[in-house]
């Protein structure tokens, strides 16, 4: 790699050199703000007589007579657009921009913009990515229609205006452009362009995780291969994911690795995964087509998850319902299940059975108010649990259900008793947009004759209403009797007192008979769930109790419990991270993983000592400082060997003759003090013997 300072126009001028922006680079995205700063600087250079103006660096790799731009495409493209605007103004009979040379416009065009004698049909000296190339060609041509909506066109028009209004001549502006100096970094054949790119973009200020992944995959390919792969694979990936490629890859990695990477480290995680998975043992090179092929296949599955077509299949109908329930946490499992459906591991009927079990699991948990902190790990590993069961002779749905039913703590599947209890106490009125899911499910169930509850609630045609109103007037107080305050307080926001209506909410405080008999009232309602309400003479505690009982039955029907006959022939290890709400006491540890591969162990002591040694490798200084404290967790350490203590580093010993509970609490506290994510420690265990 060689770098030297050079005038930008000297790099371009008269050398038959074409700059190529490879397809893996992002589109041109400089805004007016950056263009204004450049033009102001050039105008200052022209008026103050400065000798040169530093314009950043350009990193490129030569391929024949082209320079493939690794970094600096925004600056290069902007200068080309500026020169095209200057040519247009010099040629325009309506412009006051002047030059002492009549042929100055032809000179600029021939030396910097167009190579007339280049054998390629593409004679422009700058080749942009496909999304920008048409706009740039139109700008340089200077005739015909410009491409609207392009940053290239917008900035070209900005430069046209600034040039027309500037207090200097065309010659002065061009001379100022010639004083733009750059650090010209040329990569040698043996230089790793990807490594250079990573170094240049280490701050991640401009590029998304998806941008960096695209560059990683495509950068080392020849230009034609890049374009082919970009069109055949990357564009479909962007289309399938609705442009959410970074989010998609994060879920993809969670599905593949059983662990969701941190938002800002998706690129690094993908690179590590790709190198482990797609590096050829013979050549040591990455199999680009295999990488892209798998990403494209999973992007199609991701598209089904985030934008499901309810009418496509029963499976997609469940995906649609889960999207209304706002449970994106299930996507890693859904991706793996769709892959299993595609490769024949599960049938369509089995896939629907699995997703309906997941739907019951998620809705029951939400209804019961169970914390969601364990759900990521549940759905990152659920497919792996199921596949282990399949290898053990189970069907996929049975093995998957076994895994869900054996979750504990905040990962548990709520029982019918817990579910019913939540229905009797939960506020079902203040539930945000989940009302779309709840009332669509209650009204329509699995019926083919559907009322558009979701559309009606979204556009305001329907509303969620209290049968007994939120504020009692005198008529309602009389109807409810002496205990009206207690009845109102207990029942107001319970599901038994809520429904959907199409009547005007202005009438919601009227007495029950009026609300029942009015147009679109309960007796005249289009909703099945209002039929029983419309048949009642009055509305009080007796009716609320009856409707509560009926709705409990409806909830159990729509969100049933699950069961399985599968019993593993050998105990399947349960997995939990240090951050999960899991009971570790009384269980036998099988292995642990801390920022790496599984480490088999036989005792909790081995795990504790192993993790502490890893923490020493991460930050021995801070750990040693903590160990000097007299209170917990420092009190768990000594600096000299003693009975009941184990060595974790030179001069550092931990008290290891302690309970499993104490070991876990010690590690949790140390992770907090050392700013280590508790999710980085994954523990596999079985029930105690």
């Amino acid at each position: 790699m060689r770098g030297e300072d050079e005038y930008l126009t000297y790099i371009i001028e008269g050398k038959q050199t074409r700059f190529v922006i490879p397809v893996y680079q992002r589109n041109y995205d400089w805004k007016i703000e950056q263009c204004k700063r450049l033009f102001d600087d050039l105008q200052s250079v022209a008026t103050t007589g400065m000798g040169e103006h530093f314009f950043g660096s350009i990193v490129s790799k030569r391929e024949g007579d082209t320079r493939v731009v690794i970094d600096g495409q925004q600056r290069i493209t902007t200068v080309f657009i500026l020169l095209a605007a200057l040519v247009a103004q010099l040629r325009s009979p309506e412009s006051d921009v002047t030059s002492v040379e009549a042929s100055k416009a032809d000179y600029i065009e021939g030396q910097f913009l167009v190579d007339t004698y280049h054998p390629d049909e593409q004679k422009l000296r700058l080749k942009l990515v496909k999304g920008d190339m048409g706009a740039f060609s139109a700008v340089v041509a200077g005739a015909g229609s410009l491409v609207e909506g392009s940053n290239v066109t917008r900035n070209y028009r900005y430069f046209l205006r600034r040039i027309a209004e500037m207090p200097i001549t065309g010659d002065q502006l061009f001379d100022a452009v010639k004083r733009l100096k750059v650090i010209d970094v040329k990569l040698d054949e043996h230089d790793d362009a990807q490594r250079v790119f990573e170094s240049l973009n280490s701050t991640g200020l401009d590029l998304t995780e998806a941008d960096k992944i695209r560059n990683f995959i495509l950068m080392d390919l020849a230009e034609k291969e890049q374009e082919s792969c970009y069109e055949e694979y990357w564009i479909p990936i962007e289309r399938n994911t609705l442009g959410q490629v970074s989010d998609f890859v994060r879920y993809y990695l969670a599905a593949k690795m059983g662990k969701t990477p941190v938002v800002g480290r998706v690129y690094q995680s993908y690179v590590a995964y790709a190198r482990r998975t797609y590096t050829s043992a013979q050549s040591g090179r990455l199999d680009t087509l295999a990488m892209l092929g798998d990403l494209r296949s999973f992007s199609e599955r991701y598209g089904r998850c985030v934008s499901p077509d309810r009418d496509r299949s029963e499976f997609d109908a469940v995906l649609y319902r889960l999207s209304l329930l706002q449970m994106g946490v299930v996507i890693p499992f859904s991706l793996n299940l769709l892959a299993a459906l595609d490769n024949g591991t599960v049938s369509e009927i089995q896939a629907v059975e699995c997703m309906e079990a997941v739907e019951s699991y998620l809705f029951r948990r939400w209804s019961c108010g169970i914390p969601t902190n364990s759900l990521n790990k549940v759905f990152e590993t659920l497919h792996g649990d199921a596949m282990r069961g399949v290898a053990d002779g189970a069907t996929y749905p049975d093995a998957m259900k076994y895994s869900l039913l054996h979750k504990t703590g905040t990962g548990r599947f709520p029982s019918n008793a817990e579910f019913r209890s939540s229905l009797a106490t939960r506020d079902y009125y203040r539930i945000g947009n989940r009302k779309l899911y709840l009332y669509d499910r209650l009204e329509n169930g699995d019926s083919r004759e559907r009322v558009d509850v979701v559309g009606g609630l979204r556009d305001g045609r329907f509303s969620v209403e209290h049968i007994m109103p939120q504020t009692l007037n005198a008529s309602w107080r009389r109807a409810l009797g002496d205990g009206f305050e207690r009845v109102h307080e207990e029942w107001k926001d319970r599901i038994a007192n809520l429904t959907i209506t199409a009547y005007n909410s202005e009438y919601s405080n009227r007495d029950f008979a009026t609300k029942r008999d009015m147009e679109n009232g309960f007796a005249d309602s289009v909703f099945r769930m209002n039929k029983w309400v419309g048949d009642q003479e009055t509305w009080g505690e007796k009716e609320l109790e009856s409707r509560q009982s009926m709705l409990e039955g409806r909830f159990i029907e729509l969100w049933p419990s699950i069961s399985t006959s599968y019993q593993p022939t050998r105990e399947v290890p349960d997995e939990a991270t240090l951050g999960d709400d899991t009971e570790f006491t009384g269980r036998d540890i099988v292995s642990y993983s801390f920022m790496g591969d599984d480490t088999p162990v036989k005792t909790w002591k081995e795990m504790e000592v192993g993790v502490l040694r890893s923490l020493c490798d991460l930050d021995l200084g801070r750990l040693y400082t903590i160990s000097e404290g007299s209170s917990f967790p420092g009190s768990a350490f000594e600096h000299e060997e003693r009975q009941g203590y184990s060595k974790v580093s030179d001069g550092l010993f931990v008290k290891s003759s302690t309970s499993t509970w104490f070991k876990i609490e010690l590690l949790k506290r140390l992770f907090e003090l050392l700013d280590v994510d508790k999710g980085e420690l994954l523990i596999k265990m079985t029930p105690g013997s």
Side-chain angles (χ1 to χ4, degrees):
M1 181 168 61
R2 294 165 290 113
E4 54 188 356
D5 58 337
E6 187 59 86
Y7 290 108
L8 178 59
T9 52
Y10 181 78
I11 298 172
I12 305 171
E13 183 180 15
K15 293 187 176 183
Q16 295 186 332
T17 296
R18 296 167 68 216
F19 285 95
V20 174
I21 309 300
V23 293
Y24 58 74
Q25 295 276 27
R26 68 191 189 278
N27 286 341
Y28 175 67
D29 63 2
W30 261 29
K31 306 297 189 291
I32 296 298
E33 178 186 354
Q34 287 91 5
C35 293
K36 178 181 183 300
R37 187 179 304 123
L38 171 61
F39 200 90
D40 289 346
D41 288 343
L42 290 171
Q43 196 164 281
S44 177
V45 168
T47 55
T48 61
M50 292 170 55
E52 59 188 43
H53 179 72
F54 180 65
F55 195 46
S57 63
I58 293 172
V59 182
S60 63
K61 194 166 188 175
R62 183 173 290 281
E63 293 183 5
D65 64 349
T66 66
R67 278 202 189 195
V68 178
V69 180
I70 308 300
D71 190 64
Q73 67 137 321
Q74 304 292 327
R75 290 184 292 276
I76 293 173
T77 303
T78 304
V79 170
F80 272 88
I81 295 170
L82 172 61
L83 290 175
L86 177 56
V87 168
Q89 289 289 29
L90 287 171
R91 286 177 172 167
S92 172
E94 301 173 359
S95 173
D96 295 328
V97 179
T98 61
S99 169
V100 295
E101 301 176 38
S103 61
K104 179 58 71 74
D106 294 337
Y107 170 75
I108 295 173
E109 182 181 70
Q111 292 294 313
F112 301 98
L113 298 176
V114 177
D115 183 359
T116 307
Y117 302 103
H118 197 284
D120 196 323
E121 290 182 4
Q122 175 53 260
K123 298 182 182 301
L124 297 182
R125 292 180 182 271
L126 174 65
K127 182 180 181 183
L128 301 181
V129 296
K130 290 187 180 296
D132 295 323
M133 195 59 206
F136 182 64
S137 297
V139 160
V140 175
S145 300
L146 297 177
V147 177
E148 300 301 331
S150 167
N151 289 335
V152 172
T153 304
R154 183 197 60 206
N155 291 348
Y156 172 71
R157 285 185 171 133
Y158 172 77
F159 283 135
L160 284 176
R161 180 176 62 80
R162 286 297 303 270
I163 293 170
E165 298 171 352
M166 66 184 183
I168 58 177
T169 66
D171 289 326
Q172 287 176 297
L173 176 61
F174 181 60
D175 287 341
V177 172
K178 292 172 69 175
R179 295 182 210 175
L180 291 175
K181 206 162 203 180
V182 298
I183 301 298
D184 183 23
V185 180
K186 296 184 282 290
L187 301 187
D188 298 324
E189 186 175 338
H190 63 273
D191 288 326
D192 188 334
Q194 176 64 22
R195 296 292 187 193
V196 173
F197 176 82
E198 289 179 14
S199 176
L200 290 167
N201 292 280
S202 59
T203 61
L205 294 176
D206 296 323
L207 299 176
T208 66
E209 299 297 288
D211 288 332
K212 290 183 277 190
I213 290 167
R214 179 193 62 220
N215 296 3
F216 163 73
I217 295 174
L218 300 179
M219 181 172 284
D220 288 334
L221 302 179
E223 184 181 343
K224 287 188 177 180
E225 287 181 281
Q226 286 178 0
E227 293 189 1
S228 174
C229 288
Y230 183 74
E231 291 185 9
E232 188 175 345
Y233 294 97
W234 196 262
I235 289 178
I237 289 169
E238 290 182 334
R239 183 172 59 246
N240 293 336
T241 61
L242 308 178
Q244 304 168 8
V245 184
S246 296
D247 291 342
F248 155 63
V249 177
R250 188 165 181 255
Y251 284 119
Y252 169 86
L253 291 171
K256 291 289 187 176
M257 302 190 305
K259 180 180 178 182
T260 305
V262 176
V263 171
R265 294 186 58 82
V266 174
Y267 164 68
Q268 291 93 330
S269 297
Y270 181 79
V271 170
Y273 167 76
R275 286 181 171 149
R276 285 196 310 270
T277 309
Y278 294 108
T279 300
S280 168
Q282 288 75 31
S283 67
R285 295 179 61 83
L286 289 168
D287 188 338
T288 302
L289 295 183
M291 279 192 293
L292 287 169
D294 200 50
L295 281 172
R296 185 177 64 183
S297 295
F298 270 82
S299 73
E300 293 169 359
R301 297 165 188 139
Y302 178 78
R304 287 180 72 175
C305 294
V306 298
S307 184
D309 178 359
R310 185 183 64 194
D311 299 323
R312 175 174 174 172
S313 69
E314 286 188 57
F315 185 89
D316 291 271
V318 186
L319 288 178
Y320 173 77
R321 295 201 296 267
L322 288 174
S323 71
L324 293 178
L325 193 52
Q326 301 173 344
M327 288 293 181
V329 70
V330 77
I331 290 177
F333 173 70
S334 302
L335 292 175
N336 278 322
L337 184 58
L338 281 166
L341 180 60
D342 290 341
N343 65 33
T345 301
V346 299
S347 66
E348 180 83 21
I349 292 174
Q350 289 177 321
V352 172
E353 182 182 353
C354 290
M355 291 307 290
E356 288 178 340
V358 165
E359 183 180 15
S360 282
Y361 174 67
L362 290 172
F363 181 79
R364 282 180 173 230
R365 290 172 51 83
W366 171 78
S367 181
C368 294
I370 299 174
T372 61
N373 55 298
S374 65
L375 285 182
N376 277 337
K377 180 53 60 179
V378 168
F379 288 110
E380 289 163 355
T381 59
L382 187 56
H383 174 70
D385 293 344
M387 291 306 295
R388 282 192 292 272
V390 170
D392 194 38
T395 66
Y396 188 101
D398 271 344
M400 187 217 74
K401 291 177 184 178
Y402 176 88
S403 177
L404 287 182
L405 287 171
H406 283 74
K407 303 296 181 187
T408 59
T410 57
R412 69 185 181 277
F413 194 115
S415 66
N416 282 348
E418 186 178 6
F419 190 31
R420 287 180 183 275
S421 177
S422 75
L423 301 181
T425 56
R426 198 192 201 291
D427 179 344
Y428 277 98
Y429 184 65
R430 298 168 185 84
I431 60 175
N433 281 333
R434 287 192 173 94
K435 67 184 179 183
L436 304 178
Y437 170 82
L438 175 62
Y439 290 99
D440 176 70
R441 198 80 182 110
L442 286 174
E443 172 62 23
N444 292 309
D446 296 320
S447 174
R448 293 182 180 275
E449 297 180 4
R450 304 185 61 83
V451 177
D452 184 16
V453 173
V454 174
L457 287 173
R458 279 177 171 161
D459 64 22
R461 289 180 288 118
F462 307 152
S463 61
V464 176
E465 294 292 341
H466 292 76
I467 302 171
M468 173 180 60
Q470 296 184 79
T471 303
L472 297 180
N473 56 24
S475 174
W476 271 99
R477 288 196 292 270
R478 285 194 301 273
L480 291 173
D482 292 340
F484 72 86
E485 290 180 327
R486 177 190 59 78
V487 173
H488 187 254
E489 178 65 25
E490 288 182 9
W491 289 95
K492 174 170 61 80
D493 296 320
R494 290 188 192 176
I495 191 64
N497 190 51
L498 299 172
T499 191
I500 42 174
T501 69
Y503 68 66
N504 194 313
S505 59
E506 293 177 8
Y507 301 135
S508 63
N509 208 37
R510 298 290 184 91
D511 62 77
F512 177 73
T514 300
K515 294 168 72 172
R516 180 193 62 202
D517 299 333
M518 63 190 289
E519 183 181 1
N520 291 323
F522 300 129
D524 186 35
S525 176
V526 298
F527 302 110
R528 285 172 285 236
M529 64 185 298
N530 287 338
K531 186 178 187 313
W532 185 85
V533 178
D535 290 338
Q536 305 310 300
E537 291 296 323
T538 60
W539 194 256
E541 190 166 26
K542 179 172 68 72
E543 288 77 20
L544 285 164
E545 289 173 344
S546 296
R547 190 166 187 254
Q548 181 75 24
S549 178
M550 286 187 292
L551 283 173
E552 285 181 9
R554 179 65 167 159
F555 272 63
I556 296 294
E557 174 192 356
L558 290 172
W559 298 284
S561 185
I562 60 175
S563 62
T564 176
S565 59
Y566 169 60
Q567 285 296 325
T569 57
R570 60 185 184 280
E571 191 61 49
V572 179
D574 187 19
E575 295 182 344
T577 70
L578 191 63
D580 292 337
D581 179 19
T582 299
E583 182 58 63
F584 296 95
T585 299
R587 309 181 75 175
D588 293 333
I589 188 168
V590 175
S591 67
Y592 74 92
S593 173
F594 179 57
M595 296 183 174
D597 297 327
D598 262 7
T599 302
V601 291
K602 295 181 179 179
T603 66
W604 289 97
K605 173 182 171 180
E606 289 181 68
M607 182 276 297
E608 177 191 38
V609 172
V611 173
L612 287 173
R613 287 173 178 169
S614 296
L615 291 176
C616 286
D617 292 337
L618 284 176
D619 199 335
L620 177 59
R622 288 176 68 188
L623 187 57
Y624 198 93
T625 300
I626 292 168
S627 73
E628 294 179 320
S630 58
S631 59
F632 183 81
S635 57
F637 294 92
E638 289 288 345
H639 298 292
E640 295 181 356
E641 188 171 3
R642 290 179 53 184
Q643 186 174 358
Y645 284 73
S646 298
K647 182 178 180 179
V648 295
S649 184
D650 290 339
L652 188 61
F653 301 83
V654 66
K655 186 176 183 180
S656 52
S657 57
T658 56
S659 67
T660 300
W661 177 88
F662 186 89
K663 290 178 172 65
I664 292 297
E665 291 303 309
L666 175 63
L667 291 177
K668 285 181 177 178
R669 185 61 181 139
L670 290 175
F671 274 48
E672 291 170 358
L673 293 173
L674 296 172
D675 299 319
V676 178
D677 184 357
K678 293 175 186 174
E680 292 288 354
L681 176 58
L682 177 67
I683 300 170
K684 293 184 180 180
M685 55 205 158
T686 58
S689 52

